[in-house]
Amino acid sequence: MSTPANLHPTGPSPDGLDLQVLAAYLAGTGILGPDSVLHGTLISGGKSNLTYRITDGTSRWILRRPPLGNILPGAHDVTREHRVMLALGDTNIPVPRMAALCENGDVLGAPFYLMEEVSGLILRAPEDVSQIPEVTRARLGAALVDVLADLHEVDFAQVGLNTLGNPEGYLERQLERWVRQYHKIKVRELAYIQPIADSLASYLPRGGKPAIVHGDYRLDNLIVSEEDPAHITAVLDWEMATLGDPLADLGILIMFWDEPDRPFNPITNGLMAAPGFMSSDAVTNRYINRRNLQIDSMDWYLVFAKFKLAIILEQIHVRHLRGETRGEGFAGVGDMVTALLNSAMDNVSKSPSLGTAKGRFHG
């Protein structure tokens, strides 16, 4: 006799996930069979939305939900992730296949979505990259740039994402948003927040043709094939995706593109500073050639990428101080914020296209 849906057999529930309730929900949607036993584990490695591996012994899924504790409005939008990946499923951009979406907190106390697990590797540390031959690294670096360029060529209206965001005034709104987010969660004085914000506001680019912007595009947000690690099988972490200036994505990619002759980004910590990967200048050249663009300077976008990441990490640092994070790797996040702001201010001082400006964001 099969077990009723409201008494579905499950394994132990990891923190932040009630497998009993989830199993009943999935059985009700037909995703889970009536006699299946559901198991779930928290996947470490991420510092934003909580990510779990779910299995009934036959199929394997990934579940994403917002972190525990207080969440700022607009942050950790898992429904946005689901919407974007569902829309891109029939394009040339590799994304996982979506399985379910719950847009409210009725099941798990927060929105969540379920997607099919994509087999492959996530290269999170320099040790992972070191296992890949140099010639394969060169191909992987090229693929990383090409997938981003191809994303920015997707016709967002044709795939149903024309209401994903308002591309008009995107850069200005982004800058204002992250300054505002910092002041909402502020628990300490951070050097250079104000002069960086003022410089970015004073030298705001006009922006080009709008595109789908990923918002956090980097090597460790991708899955690559085990058989051929130069082949990207899925782009992950779309929670900040919107419509806007695609060069913001290129700035993020360059920020994370570690090179042996300059300080490493505190998140990637030298992930791509290995022989075979092209230089960051070559990244820009490959991108603009693939999209047939002309770019005067990437300085503004690089500084903004560091500024934005610093404030995102400060939000995570504050949640960690409140005991609201789960998993490992949060103790050093506060120091990463300082390192990023120092690096951004150094970029401002050395850039011929940026400079100090009077206080639009004073006070």
Side-chain angles (χ1 to χ4, degrees):
M1 182 176 179
S2 63
T3 306
N6 63 343
L7 294 175
H8 218 285
T10 66
S13 293
D15 198 13
L17 182 66
D18 188 328
L19 283 176
Q20 188 78 60
V21 174
L22 177 64
Y25 173 79
L26 295 180
T29 63
I31 293 174
L32 198 64
D35 299 312
S36 301
V37 180
L38 200 63
H39 295 272
T41 55
L42 177 66
I43 299 175
S44 62
K47 292 182 172 62
S48 184
N49 287 325
L50 297 178
T51 306
Y52 304 86
R53 178 174 287 110
I54 309 293
T55 181
D56 63 356
T58 303
S59 300
R60 291 163 67 97
W61 304 277
I62 299 297
L63 185 146
R64 294 264 287 173
R65 59 149 292 166
L68 306 179
N70 295 325
I71 299 172
L72 292 174
H76 310 289
D77 192 347
V78 295
T79 61
R80 176 177 293 262
E81 284 192 345
H82 178 275
R83 178 188 177 188
V84 173
M85 287 188 282
L86 185 66
L88 292 175
D90 292 328
T91 71
N92 63 340
I93 307 304
V95 291
R97 186 174 178 179
M98 299 297 103
L101 170 67
C102 179
E103 298 185 70
N104 54 49
D106 293 348
V107 179
L108 296 180
F112 70 90
Y113 71 89
L114 198 71
M115 59 185 171
E116 294 182 3
E117 183 175 32
V118 177
S119 62
L121 306 171
I122 298 180
L123 305 173
R124 298 192 185 277
E127 298 76 31
D128 302 327
V129 171
S130 68
Q131 304 302 312
I132 300 174
E134 183 173 338
V135 64
T136 305
R137 287 183 216 136
R139 292 171 49 231
L140 173 58
L144 188 57
V145 178
D146 292 349
V147 168
L148 182 64
D150 292 347
L151 169 66
H152 295 157
E153 292 295 323
V154 170
D155 185 331
F156 52 80
Q158 188 172 21
V159 298
L161 293 177
N162 52 304
T163 60
L164 184 65
N166 176 15
E168 293 295 325
Y170 166 76
L171 294 177
E172 184 174 17
R173 288 198 314 277
Q174 279 283 297
L175 180 57
E176 290 174 348
R177 173 191 177 185
W178 292 109
V179 171
R180 187 168 60 249
Q181 295 283 68
Y182 165 66
H183 286 292
K184 282 183 179 179
I185 53 92
K186 184 177 177 181
V187 296
R188 58 176 175 162
E189 293 293 335
L190 290 174
Y192 304 134
I193 282 280
Q194 186 170 296
I196 294 171
D198 289 341
S199 181
L200 290 171
S202 296
Y203 297 93
L204 202 72
R206 290 193 305 271
K209 181 182 177 182
I212 300 170
V213 175
H214 180 280
D216 194 19
Y217 188 81
R218 63 182 196 254
L219 179 60
D220 55 328
N221 274 341
L222 310 175
I223 299 176
V224 300
S225 167
E226 290 190 58
E227 291 74 23
D228 178 13
H231 176 58
I232 297 170
T233 56
V235 180
L236 307 174
D237 290 0
W238 295 84
E239 68 182 87
M240 290 188 287
T242 189
L243 303 181
D245 187 339
L247 294 185
D249 267 348
L250 182 58
I252 289 170
L253 181 59
I254 293 172
M255 172 183 66
F256 286 121
W257 202 283
D258 293 322
E259 295 179 276
D261 59 347
R262 59 185 175 92
F264 297 155
N265 184 285
I267 293 289
T268 44
N269 198 27
L271 182 63
M272 301 187 69
F277 287 117
M278 68 184 79
S279 68
S280 59
D281 287 341
V283 169
T284 300
N285 290 333
R286 185 178 183 93
Y287 175 90
I288 63 176
N289 288 335
R290 190 171 182 89
R291 297 198 62 216
N292 194 27
L293 301 177
Q294 289 186 338
I295 299 174
D296 294 330
S297 172
M298 284 297 298
D299 289 354
W300 191 97
Y301 297 96
L302 178 59
V303 170
F304 176 68
K306 293 179 180 181
F307 181 77
K308 170 184 168 182
L309 179 58
I311 295 172
I312 291 172
L313 292 180
E314 184 68 3
Q315 293 177 177
I316 296 171
H317 173 62
V318 171
R319 288 208 317 273
H320 182 62
L321 294 177
R322 294 171 178 165
E324 296 172 351
T325 51
R326 296 296 182 271
E328 301 177 352
F330 294 95
V333 170
D335 292 336
M336 294 180 184
V337 174
T338 304
L340 280 165
L341 292 174
N342 288 343
S343 178
M345 194 64 210
D346 184 59
N347 291 140
V348 169
S349 64
K350 293 178 180 178
S351 170
S353 60
L354 296 173
T356 57
K358 287 193 176 179
R360 170 174 171 180
F361 290 112
H362 282 239

